[in-house]
Amino acid sequence: MHFSGQVHKVGDHIDTDAIIPARFLVTSDVRELGASCMEGLAPGWVDRVKEGDILVAGKNFGCGSSREHAPLAILGAGMPVVVAHSFARIFYRNGFNMGLLLLEVGDQIEGINDGDELDIQVEEGVITNVTQKTTIRFQPIPAFMQELLQGGGLIEYVKRQKSA
């Protein structure tokens, strides 16, 4: 898997209510949720996001409630990957189950700025910051988790396995 896009950076401890406030949880439509992504952080934040852009966050991204709508909102906004210092555990599980790639890079996050262009080679475990001309290495994602992502998340993956 390969991703490239412009960075939209947020800070530490961004909770699921900031990602998608409860008042928008009247639908499970991914595009509708995406239109309100980060509305709890900064209204209109999503308006500057283009399809394929990359969300970069600080520590403990996705803390708070266990709502599956949070990773769906990020996907619906057009961002297929989140790079963070660290993730809340329930968000990490929900993200992969919904088909959202999550990469933890620890303190290396400090070298990424809002607006930078990243190129991510998942199998190799390498993020190239094209703007800064630097490289970040991360622990490669296990093969079974890559299969979940390529299958569109856990439900689609199981459907395919049952029909095979």
Side-chain angles (χ1 to χ4, degrees):
M1 288 185 286
H2 171 252
F3 300 92
S4 62
Q6 184 179 11
V7 168
H8 299 276
K9 193 169 183 178
V10 296
D12 294 337
H13 311 292
I14 301 298
D15 65 27
T16 53
D17 202 46
I19 297 168
I20 186 72
R23 67 182 182 275
F24 297 110
L25 302 181
V26 294
T27 182
S28 292
D29 182 273
V30 174
R31 286 293 171 191
E32 280 187 50
L33 291 167
S36 302
C37 186
M38 295 297 175
E39 195 71 18
L41 181 66
W45 182 91
V46 73
D47 295 339
R48 61 187 179 111
V49 174
K50 297 184 310 284
E51 189 76 28
D53 282 352
I54 298 168
L55 180 58
V56 173
K59 297 175 182 173
N60 198 29
F61 183 79
C63 57
S65 74
S66 61
R67 63 182 71 154
E68 295 89 359
H69 296 76
L72 289 176
I74 295 167
L75 285 167
M79 295 178 284
V81 58
V82 180
V83 180
H85 179 283
S86 59
F87 295 95
R89 293 295 94 191
I90 189 69
F91 181 85
Y92 191 80
R93 186 180 322 161
N94 283 340
F96 276 93
N97 286 344
M98 297 298 144
L100 178 65
L101 175 60
L102 304 172
L103 301 173
E104 284 187 331
V105 298
D107 290 337
Q108 297 179 94
I109 206 74
E110 300 304 323
I112 303 174
N113 297 317
D114 193 53
D116 284 355
E117 190 78 19
L118 299 184
D119 185 87
I120 301 171
Q121 299 290 334
V122 177
E123 287 80 6
E124 290 78 17
V126 175
I127 299 171
T128 301
N129 186 327
V130 176
T131 305
Q132 303 289 328
K133 300 184 181 4
T134 58
T135 300
I136 295 172
R137 299 214 174 266
F138 60 90
Q139 188 71 25
I141 305 299
F144 77 95
M145 292 173 74
Q146 289 186 42
E147 288 180 37
L148 278 181
L149 294 171
Q150 291 168 341
L154 181 60
I155 292 173
E156 296 303 318
Y157 175 80
V158 170
K159 283 180 184 175
R160 278 197 341 212
Q161 293 298 314
K162 288 182 81 172
S163 66

